[in-house]
Amino acid sequence: MPVKPAKRGTFFWLALAFKALCVVVTVAAPLASVWLASSLAAYANRATWLPVASALLFFPGLPLAWEGIAALRRSRAKAPKRRFLTFGDRLILRTLAINGLFLVVLLACFPQRAFLALSTRGDWMLDGHHGPTAESVRRGLLGCAGAVEWLYSAASHNPYRDRDVQRDDVQPTPTPTPAPTLKPAPTPAPVAPAKPTLHPVVAAMPREAETSIEAVGKYIAEREPDPKLRVKALHDWVADRVAYDAAGYTAHDVPAGSYDPQAVFASRVGVCAGYAKLMVLLGKASGDEIHYVVGDARSQSAPLEGEGHAWNAAKIDGAWYLIDATWDAGPVSEGKFEKQYSTEYLFTPPEQFIVSHFPDDAKWQLLEEPLSRAEFFRRPVVAPALFSYGLAFRSPDQSQVTVRDGAIDVLLDNPRGAFLLADVQPKQGGERTKCEVSPPAAVRCALPADGSYDLRVYANAQRYGTYEYVGAIQVNARR
């Protein structure tokens, strides 16, 4: 009579599930190591074949070598200890130990760069592929990049983060974007952005009215009843009257007075925290609700890595608006501040503001579906003028790419027929080389040698005249 097989209990199935999990982790650990190392290589414009080739080293090369050394030492021992683990168990544990150590070392050495590399170049192996499968894999990789965002946040130093001026317990409600009409509106012709003008109250404000923050806020409130125009006047006063502390910023030695709103008001010199805090205090004096927001910002001077920054959000008639008086005061070029009043970052729509400003607290994105930090760093760096001309980067649609044929092709959406120019410049500095532009929006740039380049695009409503910077992409050339 055949023997009936013994019934397998719960412990057996739990052990089997645990074993299967260990096998999955054993395969995933070397893949994670290679993915991180190759993404760092692609981000730094280095060869990716070496990290990929090292996959065989991480598994099974080094684990088997470790096992061989252990077996050799065991054979030479006079009284070898009894082994409780099987060969497979030992191989799994050694694979996890080697790859875990390698990942820890990489993340410890490059805490910020690791997140940036995974966000911007984690899909380097999919370059040139845009089918449904490739896009699904790309989204999955971008989601995995978010797993190390905490390390980026812990390692990044934002000098304005611990200098908040109020308890931030406000819960802003995003303003939904109106749904498009069924009948599309005709595409408008390209029009250059209008030249900004100071609010009349600010332009005509006498010096004796500017004795204190409270005096300025009350002066504006008494003469401008419209709340939106009143906040504009506050923004205009700060953007026009305060100069950026370019010397301290360039020397990485910003004095405490450049952060303090009272000191900034007295000296009329400050950094972004001083501008933003001054907006808060002026709002209190004028009866307007203005909040201080901190986070990362990407600009033409810091396109990929970003840098710590501070700006404002204002509540007007129940709706929230985003403001950056610092960037509207003027640019810093070659260590010097250039006064250049603007309104590009005054009441900027949230979907445009998020392209360059990422708040630490997602609620201040003012978006119904907040953007992840990985997506923020992945997008091309653009200026508000890009939206003014109705432009959009179609291909490539990320902040950094690698090309291997000595040239890069860029395609933009240009429904309004704006005129475009483009150039490339080595990141280490050097001569700018003009690119070939084929109307309406095809750009081809030759890259004279291997290296990293900044590709910048400019636009104008007319063929002749001054072209405005609208966006940039970093190009890594490798042959």
Side-chain angles (χ1 to χ4, degrees):
M1 176 182 257
V3 179
K4 186 177 181 180
K7 186 177 180 181
R8 293 170 176 173
T10 304
F11 178 78
F12 171 82
W13 294 111
L14 288 175
L16 186 63
F18 178 75
K19 192 96 170 186
L21 178 62
C22 289
V23 172
V24 171
V25 174
T26 302
V27 174
L31 290 177
S33 300
V34 172
W35 180 45
L36 175 56
S38 61
S39 298
L40 283 166
Y43 185 78
N45 196 21
R46 299 290 187 268
T48 55
W49 66 266
L50 183 59
V52 173
S54 66
L56 293 176
L57 186 65
F58 294 128
F59 180 80
L62 288 177
L64 286 177
W66 189 353
E67 175 68 17
I69 294 173
L72 181 62
R73 294 180 61 184
R74 179 179 175 81
S75 66
R76 294 177 177 178
K78 294 181 179 180
K81 296 181 180 179
R82 181 184 174 186
R83 284 182 169 177
F84 296 96
L85 299 176
T86 66
F87 170 78
D89 294 336
R90 295 194 301 273
L91 192 64
I92 288 174
L93 291 175
R94 284 167 176 157
T95 300
L96 293 178
I98 291 171
N99 287 274
L101 178 62
F102 182 70
L103 281 172
V104 168
V105 170
L106 277 183
L107 293 174
C109 293
F110 310 103
Q112 292 178 271
R113 185 173 287 259
F115 174 71
L116 295 172
L118 293 176
S119 300
T120 58
R121 300 309 313 279
D123 63 338
W124 64 266
M125 70 293 296
L126 298 175
D127 285 350
H129 300 279
H130 298 283
T133 302
E135 292 304 323
S136 296
V137 174
R138 188 173 278 114
R139 286 193 296 271
L141 293 174
L142 193 63
C144 292
V148 295
E149 181 182 347
W150 65 271
L151 189 62
Y152 170 88
S153 300
S156 62
H157 174 62
N158 187 337
Y160 320 116
R161 189 175 290 146
D162 58 352
R163 291 180 168 90
D164 206 343
V165 293
Q166 60 192 17
R167 183 167 173 264
D168 191 4
D169 55 0
V170 178
Q171 296 297 327
T173 302
T175 303
T177 303
T181 57
L182 295 178
K183 184 178 180 181
T187 302
V191 177
K195 185 178 181 180
T197 57
L198 288 174
H199 190 287
V201 171
V202 175
M205 185 180 297
R207 185 176 296 274
E208 54 268 23
E210 303 182 21
T211 56
S212 67
I213 296 175
E214 293 74 16
V216 171
K218 291 179 179 178
Y219 183 92
I220 291 174
E222 290 169 357
R223 290 158 179 80
E224 180 50 79
D226 184 276
K228 194 168 186 179
L229 292 178
R230 187 167 59 247
V231 173
K232 179 190 183 304
L234 300 178
H235 159 275
D236 288 0
W237 192 92
V238 174
D240 181 67
R241 300 298 202 270
V242 179
Y244 193 80
D245 185 4
Y249 170 79
T250 304
H252 302 287
D253 185 21
V254 179
S258 291
Y259 295 95
D260 181 75
Q262 295 289 352
V264 169
F265 180 86
S267 66
R268 306 295 167 89
V269 176
V271 292
C272 59
Y275 280 78
K277 290 178 183 180
L278 189 52
M279 282 288 297
V280 172
L281 296 188
L282 284 170
K284 288 182 178 180
S286 66
D288 296 288
E289 186 175 355
I290 301 177
H291 284 260
Y292 179 83
V293 183
V294 294
D296 287 324
R298 300 167 69 207
S299 64
Q300 190 174 354
S301 60
L304 292 184
E305 296 82 3
E307 57 186 342
H309 193 47
W311 59 93
N312 297 104
K315 189 176 184 181
I316 305 172
D317 291 334
W320 287 93
Y321 296 87
L322 297 166
I323 303 168
D324 190 342
T326 309
W327 283 18
D328 278 344
V332 174
S333 179
E334 297 181 354
K336 296 182 179 180
F337 171 71
E338 178 185 350
K339 182 178 178 181
Q340 188 175 316
Y341 165 76
S342 171
T343 55
E344 288 186 332
Y345 295 94
L346 173 65
F347 309 144
T348 309
E351 62 273 13
Q352 297 179 15
F353 205 82
I354 190 61
V355 172
S356 55
H357 294 66
F358 189 89
D360 287 343
D361 193 336
K363 70 184 181 184
W364 292 115
Q365 293 185 27
L366 303 185
L367 295 172
E368 290 187 309
E369 296 184 6
L371 197 72
S372 71
R373 195 184 295 269
E375 292 174 300
F376 170 74
F377 281 115
R378 181 177 176 79
R379 292 182 171 187
V381 182
V382 303
L386 182 92
F387 305 102
S388 300
Y389 289 104
L391 298 166
F393 281 92
R394 182 189 299 177
S395 175
D397 60 354
Q398 60 194 83
S399 56
Q400 188 194 82
V401 294
T402 297
V403 296
R404 300 186 179 278
D405 59 356
I408 179 173
D409 293 298
V410 179
L411 186 62
L412 295 93
D413 289 325
N414 186 13
R416 302 181 189 175
F419 293 91
L420 303 178
L421 291 177
D423 60 35
V424 291
Q425 181 183 31
K427 283 196 69 64
Q428 295 77 14
E431 185 179 352
R432 293 185 180 183
T433 305
K434 290 185 178 180
C435 303
E436 178 184 347
V437 178
S438 301
V443 177
R444 183 172 180 81
C445 300
L447 306 171
D450 287 357
S452 295
Y453 296 83
D454 286 327
L455 188 159
R456 300 183 183 91
V457 181
Y458 312 85
N460 192 12
Q462 308 296 327
R463 182 181 298 276
Y464 303 103
T466 302
Y467 280 68
E468 296 183 82
Y469 163 79
V470 295
I473 294 173
Q474 181 175 310
V475 185
N476 294 334
R478 293 188 64 84
R479 290 176 176 82

